[in-house]
Amino acid sequence: MRNVDYKRARHFEVDLSAFRNILKIDKDRMIARVEPLVNMGQISRVTVPMNLSLAVVAELDDLTVGGLINGYGIEGSSHVHGLFTDTVEAYEIVLAGGELVRATRDNEYSNLFYAIPWSQGTLGFLVAAEIRLVHIKEYMKLTYILVKGDLQTIAQGYMDSFAPRDGDPAKIPDFVEGMVYSSNEGVMMTGKYASREEAKKKGNKINNVGWWFKPWFYQYAQTALKKGEFVEYIPTREYYHRHTSSLYWEGKLILPFGDQFWFRFLFGWLMPPKVSLLKATQGESIRNYYHEMHVIQDMLVPLYKVGDALEWVDREMEVYPIWLCPHKLFKQPVKSMINPEPGFEYEMRQGDTEDAQMYSDVGVYYAPGPVLRGEVFDGVEAVRKMEQWLIENHGFQPQYAVSELDEKSFWRMFDADLYEHCRRKYRAIGTFMSIYYKSKKGRKTEKEVREAEEAHLQTAYAEAD
């Protein structure tokens, strides 16, 4: 939803449109070497038939490796593997001076390796990445778990679904996600890889959710509210991309009749509309309307604060469904843009391990209740309040979304030290726009951006403290 007006503030352009190739699937090293415009659908088509997969496969087909690295990527396996960038073993980057370098955790460019995630392409041009592969099976055994009660009870049911209180690793599923459908009911889904032989045993149900005429996944999962807990088997690749056809539940706003059987049967193969097309055809007034009357935000919060986050969203935005997806936030050798709460390892809570604090994405996507009822809703103010709540609770806002943060508040949310160090060391200042100005809402002029860059050469980000 964020605009791309930052592109007007620079007078040069580099065409990376041809960088969309899978360069190598290395089964010995269990590494996929790919270019930045390779998307999730493309790579799963190649790897799944080999019983291999990226460790983290973001749910929507069109999400690209470059976007998930420079921005933010999460999926149902992130409670095991972390965010998408935690599964990357090497980055190949063209720096401002034209040098091509390879950055890994332990080579001379290790500082760049830890600075690239969340940097939005403001340190150099990503031209390839080496990403970890894992062995998989043909099916996902998915259990749908009904949770009812107040929002704190729903949050606890969510935590218990994947983070056993006794810490038994055998009870940790391969995949997990939650959907909160109202202030008193939700469905948690846990998945375990299963072989073809197991899935096809007599009595087991196989659900091919990837067929174009199938119900949208979030609506199908909602049937657990009436049916109660049930189990089924879904082909693994179809499970990975289960939210693609409906763009989670945004498809209901984009095409209100898109979930009707007649449309799914006749035209479901056309879904979803390309996000790039939606952006290209949006006028500024439509974009502003979406921002003011519609919410597309992710709140990354410590797992133990999920209940508080759900209550905040219900009180301030009243948006449902809400998507829940946990992820490890690893303690790194150096402080990167986002870091766990200081000292978390000395007071470990449910889901935490010594090397990582468990966080959760609280995905808030849809029109707020007041808008649906025709009441007054100030979307800009709601986002500002959300951002302040995140800062106060050591949470993070992915920069793909529209942000209302001023620069000082931006650097209260994120840690600037390593990023600023790499901006200077690799001469990015003056060539690549600062991340704050790249993600800032509204039009930018080259004069504004250059003045800001010159100011940063003379003053540190220390004001954020």
Side-chain angles (χ1 to χ4, degrees):
M1 294 306 299
R2 182 167 56 80
N3 63 61
V4 292
D5 290 329
Y6 66 86
K7 294 184 177 180
R8 298 186 179 94
R10 288 295 192 218
H11 292 317
F12 60 86
E13 184 175 315
V14 177
D15 183 6
L16 295 176
S17 60
F19 284 68
R20 53 182 72 251
N21 300 290
I22 297 172
L23 301 174
K24 186 176 184 181
I25 302 296
D26 190 331
K27 295 182 181 179
D28 295 327
R29 294 178 59 218
M30 289 295 286
I31 291 292
R33 183 168 175 260
V34 300
E35 292 179 328
L37 292 184
V38 168
N39 65 36
M40 294 297 98
Q42 181 183 355
I43 198 165
S44 66
R45 275 195 300 273
V46 171
T47 59
V48 169
M50 303 177 185
N51 280 7
L52 298 174
S53 171
L54 298 183
V56 173
V57 184
E59 281 90 348
L60 304 184
D61 282 22
D62 285 346
L63 295 177
T64 64
V65 167
L68 296 168
I69 286 172
N70 284 303
Y72 155 72
I74 189 173
E75 198 245 356
S77 61
S78 288
H79 67 296
V80 176
H81 300 289
L83 296 176
F84 188 85
T85 47
D86 294 313
T87 69
V88 178
E89 300 297 328
Y91 301 105
E92 295 176 38
I93 302 287
V94 175
L95 301 176
E99 314 96 306
L100 172 64
V101 303
R102 182 174 181 269
T104 69
R105 288 181 178 83
D106 52 10
N107 72 359
E108 61 183 306
Y109 295 102
S110 62
N111 55 1
L112 188 61
F113 177 88
Y114 289 107
I116 286 169
W118 292 67
S119 66
Q120 295 285 345
T122 59
L123 296 172
F125 287 115
L126 176 71
V127 293
E130 296 177 12
I131 309 170
R132 193 186 320 143
L133 293 168
V134 294
H135 292 287
I136 64 170
K137 296 179 181 179
E138 295 88 352
Y139 283 83
M140 188 66 62
K141 180 183 179 182
L142 198 64
T143 302
Y144 299 78
I145 305 166
L146 167 64
V147 182
K148 289 194 174 185
D150 61 24
L151 289 170
Q152 291 288 350
T153 301
I154 291 173
Q156 188 59 57
Y158 163 61
M159 291 188 280
D160 291 342
S161 71
F162 71 92
R165 299 193 199 193
D166 61 6
D168 183 357
K171 297 178 181 177
I172 299 174
D174 296 322
F175 282 78
V176 65
E177 70 176 331
M179 296 183 206
V180 183
Y181 291 98
S182 72
S183 61
N184 54 30
E185 56 187 13
V187 176
M188 309 305 148
M189 286 143 283
T190 60
K192 282 273 193 180
Y193 284 118
S195 66
R196 180 180 287 106
E197 292 73 24
E198 177 185 343
K200 294 193 173 182
K201 284 181 180 177
K202 186 176 180 180
N204 289 341
K205 178 184 177 182
I206 292 178
N207 183 6
N208 293 92
V209 300
W211 286 99
W212 75 89
F213 53 81
K214 285 283 190 172
W216 288 353
F217 185 75
Y218 82 95
Q219 293 176 339
Y220 175 74
Q222 193 173 6
T223 62
L225 297 177
K226 293 182 178 179
K227 293 197 306 189
E229 182 173 323
F230 65 97
V231 178
E232 64 184 15
Y233 292 80
I234 300 174
T236 295
R237 184 169 184 268
E238 294 182 27
Y239 173 78
Y240 285 161
H241 303 298
R242 62 199 176 279
H243 291 297
T244 292
S245 61
S246 60
L247 299 175
Y248 291 90
W249 28 92
E250 282 294 297
K252 186 66 175 172
L253 285 177
I254 296 169
L255 203 63
F257 50 82
D259 60 341
Q260 300 299 304
F261 175 78
W262 64 268
F263 181 88
R264 286 188 280 109
F265 187 77
L266 294 174
F267 304 109
W269 54 275
L270 290 170
M271 293 294 285
K274 292 287 187 183
V275 174
S276 55
L277 175 64
L278 293 175
K279 283 185 176 183
T281 55
Q282 267 183 7
E284 189 166 354
S285 58
I286 295 293
R287 197 164 57 207
N288 289 338
Y289 174 82
Y290 263 79
H291 182 40
E292 292 164 9
M293 301 293 180
H294 178 230
V295 179
I296 298 186
Q297 297 282 344
D298 286 271
M299 304 167 67
L300 304 189
V301 301
L303 181 64
Y304 71 94
K305 293 186 177 181
V306 164
D308 297 340
L310 290 175
E311 290 178 337
W312 188 93
V313 173
D314 181 74
R315 183 174 63 251
E316 300 291 341
M317 294 180 173
E318 199 185 334
V319 171
Y320 290 100
I322 296 172
W323 188 61
L324 299 177
C325 186
H327 71 90
K328 281 187 173 182
L329 186 54
F330 288 98
K331 183 172 61 174
Q332 305 287 10
V334 294
K335 291 184 74 175
S336 56
M337 193 89 78
I338 63 171
N339 303 281
E341 291 180 300
F344 79 91
E345 64 270 37
Y346 303 114
E347 189 184 354
M348 288 198 293
R349 297 177 173 89
Q350 189 172 358
D352 292 351
T353 55
E354 290 186 359
D355 65 338
Q357 184 177 12
M358 192 65 76
Y359 264 61
S360 179
D361 187 326
V362 179
V364 188
Y365 330 120
Y366 208 63
V371 172
L372 296 175
R373 292 191 297 269
E375 300 168 5
V376 174
F377 178 77
D378 188 338
V380 173
E381 183 60 25
V383 170
R384 286 176 180 153
K385 287 181 179 179
M386 183 200 79
E387 291 165 339
Q388 187 59 38
W389 190 92
L390 287 172
I391 290 170
E392 292 170 356
N393 288 276
H394 203 84
F396 307 99
Q397 174 193 37
Q399 297 124 350
Y400 81 85
V402 176
S403 171
E404 295 293 338
L405 290 169
D406 59 36
E407 192 166 9
K408 182 176 179 180
S409 297
F410 184 89
W411 292 115
R412 284 178 62 209
M413 182 179 290
F414 300 102
D415 193 296
D417 291 346
L418 180 63
Y419 174 75
E420 172 67 0
H421 169 76
C422 288
R423 289 268 295 168
R424 293 171 184 269
K425 180 174 181 178
Y426 299 110
R427 306 180 305 284
I429 298 173
T431 300
F432 298 102
M433 188 181 299
S434 166
I435 185 172
Y436 172 73
Y437 282 89
K438 188 171 183 179
S439 58
K440 179 184 175 185
K441 189 179 80 169
R443 295 183 181 276
K444 295 92 173 167
T445 65
E446 182 159 6
K447 181 175 182 293
E448 174 192 18
V449 172
R450 287 209 176 278
E451 286 176 352
E453 289 172 342
E454 289 169 6
H456 282 301
L457 287 171
Q458 301 168 23
T459 62
Y461 289 82
E463 278 190 10
D465 300 331

